[in-house]
Amino acid sequence: MTLHPTVKSVTDRIIERSAPTRAAYLEQMRAAQGKGPARARLSCSGQAHAYAASGEDKDALAQTSAGNLGIVTTYNDMLSAHQPFETYPEQIKAAVRSIGGTAQVAGGVPAMCDGVTQGEAGMELSLFSRDVIALAASVALSHNIFDAAVFLGVCDKIVPGLVIAAQAFGHLPAVFLPAGPMQSGLANDEKAKVRQKFAAGEVGRDALMAAEMAAYHGPGTCTFYGTANTNQMLMEFMGLHLPGASFVTPNTPLREALTVHGAKQALGLSALGDSYTPVCDILDERAFVNGIVGLNATGGSTNLLIHLVAMAKAGGIILDWQDFSDLSDITPLMARVYPNGLADVNHFHAAGGLGYMIGELLKAGLLHPDTKTVAGTGLAHYTRDPKLLDGDLSWQDGPETSLNPGILRPVAEAFAPTGGLRRLTGTLGTAVMKVSAVAPEHQIVQAPVRVFADQDSVKAAFKAGELTGDVIVVVRFQGPKANGMPELHSLTPLLSILQGRGQKVALVTDGRMSGASGKVPAAIHVCPEALDGGPIARLQDGDLLRVDAVAGTLQIFTEGVMDRPAAAADLSGNQAGTGRELFAMFRNTVGAADSGATIFGG
């Protein structure tokens, strides 16, 4: 199938825009490749330090040229998605020994759960944790004694941070090994109903706790299609997972077989063999375009509008939100997974999952078919499903028709002709909106604003019965420079209640929303942010604002707003406590949301 002209034109302009920075990055990677691992060049003392605790692998490391695999792990048992990683290092070491290699845990990486920190002070460290993860993973690989790496990570900031680090060591091959989603528990829509009833005071905390525990009940990723599962989708579309690996549940024979094969594959792609495939060759401009198409086709998390920009920048590739918007215009919405529908990711996977979707998009010319991946050259590898037959792992042709059209549809019969993301521009600045779960009648809201400086004030106003009539709730001073750009997902239940009462309601913020954001229109990531004196800092209660996801506009209709001085906020309460004092450097140096909200290169 011929490549769609918009896919080609967007890719071409990214290549042109990125030419100087991409060339400099690749030159750096080729130089690192030419030097190779420092293992053989280390002093005897240096090697002794590196191998001292390697047990049965010590002689192989010291005396032979067998490949050495670095394991970068984000294991902790505070994150259900990461708890299964506890046993991965021993599985990986045994796997590579069987092919004559060695493996060492290069280092551990911090990983926090946004589900725990929603609405809490810790959420103000969340976005910055991505860059901390990138730094920590780089320290893990800094000994430069590895021929390849595997990265163990799943959740919101963790995968983007690991990808940034993988690109810093882009001369090495790398395979990302997921843990998979937990088995389905209480349906996500039932859980959401209980949350709304609790917000309205209709049920007590005991009912809320019971519902949450029934939904989040075991090892694995949360089953809704939020940022964590969007990350997993991207790793397949961009070629860093094994085909079909994303949504196989933890602690199953197939999951273990994929982990073992992934470890062997990583070492097999090293420069010691004849299939050398470094990360810098996999993550090119075409791979990022494929990832953006996947993001739109699945109605994925808005967080990736920030993370993909930062991830690309680490490889010298410059993305902007117009790229996302233009690709959204030609990408059909093929999936309905909660919060965009009632199904969870396990249902999506059973209906045909990513393999079916990639096959459909390839046939429609909406993906670059010839990218390099950890499974070989060509994205067609990712139309096949992993199977465990008589104990042996193999890949079989995936389904050519959806097994549940209520969840997953072909391109020709998609749920919507365009993707789930919109870029909004206008007199208030630039913002983005996830519209895949927003009903058409709610995609345009023109109403007076109520302005707040934090989400607790919104909750207080709601409880006091102040949010009556049509209203656009503006929550400002939530950008990366102000307080680390926390997610405001805890506002979703109360805004949903207002919408359910028949009010026209929208959220406008320079902060973030979770990948679980749903049916209430939310214009988020507003740039410039309030702390930079953006127009959002000049709004006052009662100003008329229009949020229009159809036209892609964000307009102030009240005269004289831009003549006002920018409001100031007392941010002293956001500067210390729960570790926030240690992140002042991040707040002072971070770039804008539309440039990735990263400390790396502004």
Side-chain angles (χ1 to χ4, degrees), residues 130 160 234 238 288 291-292 295 303-313 317 319 324:
R130 180 197 62 197
L234 285 171
M238 297 173 70
F288 278 97
I292 295 171
L295 181 66
N303 281 324
L304 273 300
L305 287 152
I306 295 175
H307 296 323
L308 276 166
V309 174
M311 290 155 64
K313 183 184 293 186
I317 296 169
L319 302 179
F324 291 79

PDB file of all heavy atoms in Angstrom, residues 130 160 234 238 288 291-292 295 303-313 317 319 324:
ATOM      1  N   ARG A 130      10.366  11.677  35.437  1.00  0.00           N
ATOM      2  CA  ARG A 130      10.795  11.155  34.131  1.00  0.00           C
ATOM      3  C   ARG A 130      12.257  11.485  33.857  1.00  0.00           C
ATOM      4  O   ARG A 130      13.043  10.620  33.435  1.00  0.00           O
ATOM      5  CB  ARG A 130       9.915  11.751  33.023  1.00  0.00           C
ATOM      6  CG  ARG A 130      10.271  11.283  31.621  1.00  0.00           C
ATOM      7  CD  ARG A 130       9.675  12.206  30.565  1.00  0.00           C
ATOM      8  NE  ARG A 130      10.208  13.540  30.681  1.00  0.00           N
ATOM      9  CZ  ARG A 130       9.653  14.625  30.132  1.00  0.00           C
ATOM     10  NH1 ARG A 130       8.523  14.517  29.450  1.00  0.00           N
ATOM     11  NH2 ARG A 130      10.218  15.813  30.281  1.00  0.00           N
ATOM     12  N   PRO A 160       8.994   6.628  29.225  1.00  0.00           N
ATOM     13  CA  PRO A 160       9.642   7.764  28.558  1.00  0.00           C
ATOM     14  C   PRO A 160      11.027   8.077  29.113  1.00  0.00           C
ATOM     15  O   PRO A 160      11.958   8.369  28.349  1.00  0.00           O
ATOM     16  CB  PRO A 160       8.661   8.913  28.806  1.00  0.00           C
ATOM     17  CG  PRO A 160       7.334   8.244  28.922  1.00  0.00           C
ATOM     18  CD  PRO A 160       7.617   6.962  29.653  1.00  0.00           C
ATOM     19  N   LEU A 234       3.069   2.150  22.385  1.00  0.00           N
ATOM     20  CA  LEU A 234       4.133   2.855  21.662  1.00  0.00           C
ATOM     21  C   LEU A 234       5.359   1.977  21.467  1.00  0.00           C
ATOM     22  O   LEU A 234       6.003   2.020  20.407  1.00  0.00           O
ATOM     23  CB  LEU A 234       4.517   4.126  22.409  1.00  0.00           C
ATOM     24  CG  LEU A 234       3.542   5.290  22.307  1.00  0.00           C
ATOM     25  CD1 LEU A 234       3.948   6.395  23.273  1.00  0.00           C
ATOM     26  CD2 LEU A 234       3.487   5.834  20.887  1.00  0.00           C
ATOM     27  N   MET A 238       6.763   1.422  17.826  1.00  0.00           N
ATOM     28  CA  MET A 238       8.081   1.992  17.571  1.00  0.00           C
ATOM     29  C   MET A 238       9.185   0.946  17.548  1.00  0.00           C
ATOM     30  O   MET A 238      10.347   1.276  17.332  1.00  0.00           O
ATOM     31  CB  MET A 238       8.374   3.080  18.611  1.00  0.00           C
ATOM     32  CG  MET A 238       7.392   4.249  18.509  1.00  0.00           C
ATOM     33  SD  MET A 238       7.545   5.479  19.816  1.00  0.00           S
ATOM     34  CE  MET A 238       9.119   6.235  19.395  1.00  0.00           C
ATOM     35  N   PHE A 288       8.979   7.568  15.179  1.00  0.00           N
ATOM     36  CA  PHE A 288       8.178   8.487  15.980  1.00  0.00           C
ATOM     37  C   PHE A 288       6.859   8.818  15.293  1.00  0.00           C
ATOM     38  O   PHE A 288       5.816   8.952  15.958  1.00  0.00           O
ATOM     39  CB  PHE A 288       8.982   9.750  16.307  1.00  0.00           C
ATOM     40  CG  PHE A 288       9.908   9.560  17.474  1.00  0.00           C
ATOM     41  CD1 PHE A 288      11.247   9.245  17.285  1.00  0.00           C
ATOM     42  CD2 PHE A 288       9.439   9.663  18.772  1.00  0.00           C
ATOM     43  CE1 PHE A 288      12.100   9.042  18.354  1.00  0.00           C
ATOM     44  CE2 PHE A 288      10.283   9.468  19.862  1.00  0.00           C
ATOM     45  CZ  PHE A 288      11.619   9.154  19.649  1.00  0.00           C
ATOM     46  N   GLY A 291       4.623   6.012  16.011  1.00  0.00           N
ATOM     47  CA  GLY A 291       4.127   6.108  17.376  1.00  0.00           C
ATOM     48  C   GLY A 291       2.984   7.098  17.507  1.00  0.00           C
ATOM     49  O   GLY A 291       1.989   6.842  18.198  1.00  0.00           O
ATOM     50  N   ILE A 292       3.089   8.235  16.829  1.00  0.00           N
ATOM     51  CA  ILE A 292       2.027   9.242  16.890  1.00  0.00           C
ATOM     52  C   ILE A 292       0.759   8.713  16.228  1.00  0.00           C
ATOM     53  O   ILE A 292      -0.356   8.940  16.722  1.00  0.00           O
ATOM     54  CB  ILE A 292       2.494  10.553  16.224  1.00  0.00           C
ATOM     55  CG1 ILE A 292       3.651  11.167  17.012  1.00  0.00           C
ATOM     56  CG2 ILE A 292       1.347  11.549  16.139  1.00  0.00           C
ATOM     57  CD1 ILE A 292       4.328  12.339  16.310  1.00  0.00           C
ATOM     58  N   LEU A 295      -0.825   6.459  18.685  1.00  0.00           N
ATOM     59  CA  LEU A 295      -1.432   7.248  19.750  1.00  0.00           C
ATOM     60  C   LEU A 295      -2.822   7.720  19.345  1.00  0.00           C
ATOM     61  O   LEU A 295      -3.780   7.638  20.125  1.00  0.00           O
ATOM     62  CB  LEU A 295      -0.532   8.445  20.064  1.00  0.00           C
ATOM     63  CG  LEU A 295      -0.970   9.403  21.164  1.00  0.00           C
ATOM     64  CD1 LEU A 295      -0.973   8.721  22.515  1.00  0.00           C
ATOM     65  CD2 LEU A 295      -0.060  10.634  21.182  1.00  0.00           C
ATOM     66  N   ASN A 303      -0.671  12.618  28.001  1.00  0.00           N
ATOM     67  CA  ASN A 303       0.676  12.771  28.534  1.00  0.00           C
ATOM     68  C   ASN A 303       1.746  12.530  27.473  1.00  0.00           C
ATOM     69  O   ASN A 303       2.847  13.081  27.537  1.00  0.00           O
ATOM     70  CB  ASN A 303       0.902  11.814  29.701  1.00  0.00           C
ATOM     71  CG  ASN A 303       0.292  12.313  30.996  1.00  0.00           C
ATOM     72  OD1 ASN A 303       0.275  13.503  31.272  1.00  0.00           O
ATOM     73  ND2 ASN A 303      -0.234  11.398  31.795  1.00  0.00           N
ATOM     74  N   LEU A 304       1.419  11.711  26.475  1.00  0.00           N
ATOM     75  CA  LEU A 304       2.418  11.398  25.456  1.00  0.00           C
ATOM     76  C   LEU A 304       2.661  12.562  24.511  1.00  0.00           C
ATOM     77  O   LEU A 304       3.666  12.575  23.784  1.00  0.00           O
ATOM     78  CB  LEU A 304       2.022  10.140  24.694  1.00  0.00           C
ATOM     79  CG  LEU A 304       2.495   8.818  25.322  1.00  0.00           C
ATOM     80  CD1 LEU A 304       4.021   8.785  25.422  1.00  0.00           C
ATOM     81  CD2 LEU A 304       1.869   8.543  26.674  1.00  0.00           C
ATOM     82  N   LEU A 305       1.784  13.566  24.506  1.00  0.00           N
ATOM     83  CA  LEU A 305       2.061  14.782  23.748  1.00  0.00           C
ATOM     84  C   LEU A 305       3.254  15.534  24.331  1.00  0.00           C
ATOM     85  O   LEU A 305       3.906  16.309  23.637  1.00  0.00           O
ATOM     86  CB  LEU A 305       0.828  15.688  23.733  1.00  0.00           C
ATOM     87  CG  LEU A 305      -0.311  15.198  22.838  1.00  0.00           C
ATOM     88  CD1 LEU A 305      -1.648  15.683  23.347  1.00  0.00           C
ATOM     89  CD2 LEU A 305      -0.084  15.653  21.411  1.00  0.00           C
ATOM     90  N   ILE A 306       3.517  15.319  25.604  1.00  0.00           N
ATOM     91  CA  ILE A 306       4.720  15.857  26.235  1.00  0.00           C
ATOM     92  C   ILE A 306       5.871  14.863  26.116  1.00  0.00           C
ATOM     93  O   ILE A 306       6.976  15.199  25.694  1.00  0.00           O
ATOM     94  CB  ILE A 306       4.442  16.186  27.715  1.00  0.00           C
ATOM     95  CG1 ILE A 306       3.419  17.318  27.824  1.00  0.00           C
ATOM     96  CG2 ILE A 306       5.728  16.573  28.440  1.00  0.00           C
ATOM     97  CD1 ILE A 306       2.994  17.637  29.247  1.00  0.00           C
ATOM     98  N   HIS A 307       5.593  13.605  26.466  1.00  0.00           N
ATOM     99  CA  HIS A 307       6.679  12.623  26.534  1.00  0.00           C
ATOM    100  C   HIS A 307       7.299  12.334  25.173  1.00  0.00           C
ATOM    101  O   HIS A 307       8.525  12.218  25.058  1.00  0.00           O
ATOM    102  CB  HIS A 307       6.165  11.322  27.157  1.00  0.00           C
ATOM    103  CG  HIS A 307       5.725  11.456  28.574  1.00  0.00           C
ATOM    104  ND1 HIS A 307       6.360  12.269  29.487  1.00  0.00           N
ATOM    105  CD2 HIS A 307       4.700  10.867  29.258  1.00  0.00           C
ATOM    106  CE1 HIS A 307       5.746  12.181  30.653  1.00  0.00           C
ATOM    107  NE2 HIS A 307       4.741  11.336  30.536  1.00  0.00           N
ATOM    108  N   LEU A 308       6.483  12.188  24.133  1.00  0.00           N
ATOM    109  CA  LEU A 308       7.053  11.888  22.817  1.00  0.00           C
ATOM    110  C   LEU A 308       7.949  13.006  22.328  1.00  0.00           C
ATOM    111  O   LEU A 308       8.973  12.758  21.679  1.00  0.00           O
ATOM    112  CB  LEU A 308       5.938  11.605  21.804  1.00  0.00           C
ATOM    113  CG  LEU A 308       5.405  10.174  21.787  1.00  0.00           C
ATOM    114  CD1 LEU A 308       4.107  10.090  21.008  1.00  0.00           C
ATOM    115  CD2 LEU A 308       6.434   9.205  21.198  1.00  0.00           C
ATOM    116  N   VAL A 309       7.583  14.254  22.624  1.00  0.00           N
ATOM    117  CA  VAL A 309       8.440  15.385  22.237  1.00  0.00           C
ATOM    118  C   VAL A 309       9.795  15.280  22.945  1.00  0.00           C
ATOM    119  O   VAL A 309      10.853  15.463  22.325  1.00  0.00           O
ATOM    120  CB  VAL A 309       7.748  16.721  22.558  1.00  0.00           C
ATOM    121  CG1 VAL A 309       8.688  17.893  22.305  1.00  0.00           C
ATOM    122  CG2 VAL A 309       6.484  16.887  21.714  1.00  0.00           C
ATOM    123  N   ALA A 310       9.763  14.963  24.251  1.00  0.00           N
ATOM    124  CA  ALA A 310      11.008  14.831  25.011  1.00  0.00           C
ATOM    125  C   ALA A 310      11.816  13.618  24.565  1.00  0.00           C
ATOM    126  O   ALA A 310      13.048  13.672  24.457  1.00  0.00           O
ATOM    127  CB  ALA A 310      10.697  14.747  26.501  1.00  0.00           C
ATOM    128  N   MET A 311      11.133  12.501  24.313  1.00  0.00           N
ATOM    129  CA  MET A 311      11.821  11.291  23.859  1.00  0.00           C
ATOM    130  C   MET A 311      12.507  11.525  22.518  1.00  0.00           C
ATOM    131  O   MET A 311      13.660  11.119  22.315  1.00  0.00           O
ATOM    132  CB  MET A 311      10.814  10.145  23.749  1.00  0.00           C
ATOM    133  CG  MET A 311      10.293   9.642  25.083  1.00  0.00           C
ATOM    134  SD  MET A 311       8.662   8.841  24.975  1.00  0.00           S
ATOM    135  CE  MET A 311       9.017   7.423  23.952  1.00  0.00           C
ATOM    136  N   ALA A 312      11.810  12.177  21.605  1.00  0.00           N
ATOM    137  CA  ALA A 312      12.398  12.438  20.285  1.00  0.00           C
ATOM    138  C   ALA A 312      13.600  13.367  20.396  1.00  0.00           C
ATOM    139  O   ALA A 312      14.626  13.165  19.739  1.00  0.00           O
ATOM    140  CB  ALA A 312      11.330  13.043  19.366  1.00  0.00           C
ATOM    141  N   LYS A 313      13.467  14.390  21.244  1.00  0.00           N
ATOM    142  CA  LYS A 313      14.550  15.366  21.403  1.00  0.00           C
ATOM    143  C   LYS A 313      15.844  14.676  21.842  1.00  0.00           C
ATOM    144  O   LYS A 313      16.944  15.080  21.441  1.00  0.00           O
ATOM    145  CB  LYS A 313      14.137  16.429  22.427  1.00  0.00           C
ATOM    146  CG  LYS A 313      15.151  17.537  22.615  1.00  0.00           C
ATOM    147  CD  LYS A 313      14.718  18.508  23.707  1.00  0.00           C
ATOM    148  CE  LYS A 313      13.502  19.297  23.320  1.00  0.00           C
ATOM    149  NZ  LYS A 313      13.183  20.339  24.345  1.00  0.00           N
ATOM    150  N   ILE A 317      15.668  14.579  17.335  1.00  0.00           N
ATOM    151  CA  ILE A 317      14.489  14.726  16.479  1.00  0.00           C
ATOM    152  C   ILE A 317      13.552  15.747  17.119  1.00  0.00           C
ATOM    153  O   ILE A 317      13.243  15.654  18.302  1.00  0.00           O
ATOM    154  CB  ILE A 317      13.775  13.375  16.287  1.00  0.00           C
ATOM    155  CG1 ILE A 317      14.698  12.397  15.549  1.00  0.00           C
ATOM    156  CG2 ILE A 317      12.462  13.544  15.534  1.00  0.00           C
ATOM    157  CD1 ILE A 317      14.193  10.970  15.539  1.00  0.00           C
ATOM    158  N   LEU A 319       9.975  17.338  17.329  1.00  0.00           N
ATOM    159  CA  LEU A 319       8.541  17.223  17.080  1.00  0.00           C
ATOM    160  C   LEU A 319       7.831  18.461  17.603  1.00  0.00           C
ATOM    161  O   LEU A 319       8.291  19.097  18.549  1.00  0.00           O
ATOM    162  CB  LEU A 319       7.951  16.001  17.797  1.00  0.00           C
ATOM    163  CG  LEU A 319       8.522  14.620  17.480  1.00  0.00           C
ATOM    164  CD1 LEU A 319       7.819  13.562  18.326  1.00  0.00           C
ATOM    165  CD2 LEU A 319       8.390  14.291  16.009  1.00  0.00           C
ATOM    166  N   PHE A 324       1.361  16.230  15.571  1.00  0.00           N
ATOM    167  CA  PHE A 324       0.345  15.361  16.177  1.00  0.00           C
ATOM    168  C   PHE A 324      -1.033  15.673  15.598  1.00  0.00           C
ATOM    169  O   PHE A 324      -1.806  14.773  15.274  1.00  0.00           O
ATOM    170  CB  PHE A 324       0.316  15.558  17.694  1.00  0.00           C
ATOM    171  CG  PHE A 324       1.528  15.056  18.429  1.00  0.00           C
ATOM    172  CD1 PHE A 324       2.708  15.788  18.453  1.00  0.00           C
ATOM    173  CD2 PHE A 324       1.491  13.862  19.124  1.00  0.00           C
ATOM    174  CE1 PHE A 324       3.822  15.339  19.146  1.00  0.00           C
ATOM    175  CE2 PHE A 324       2.597  13.398  19.818  1.00  0.00           C
ATOM    176  CZ  PHE A 324       3.768  14.140  19.821  1.00  0.00           C
TER     177      PHE A 324
END
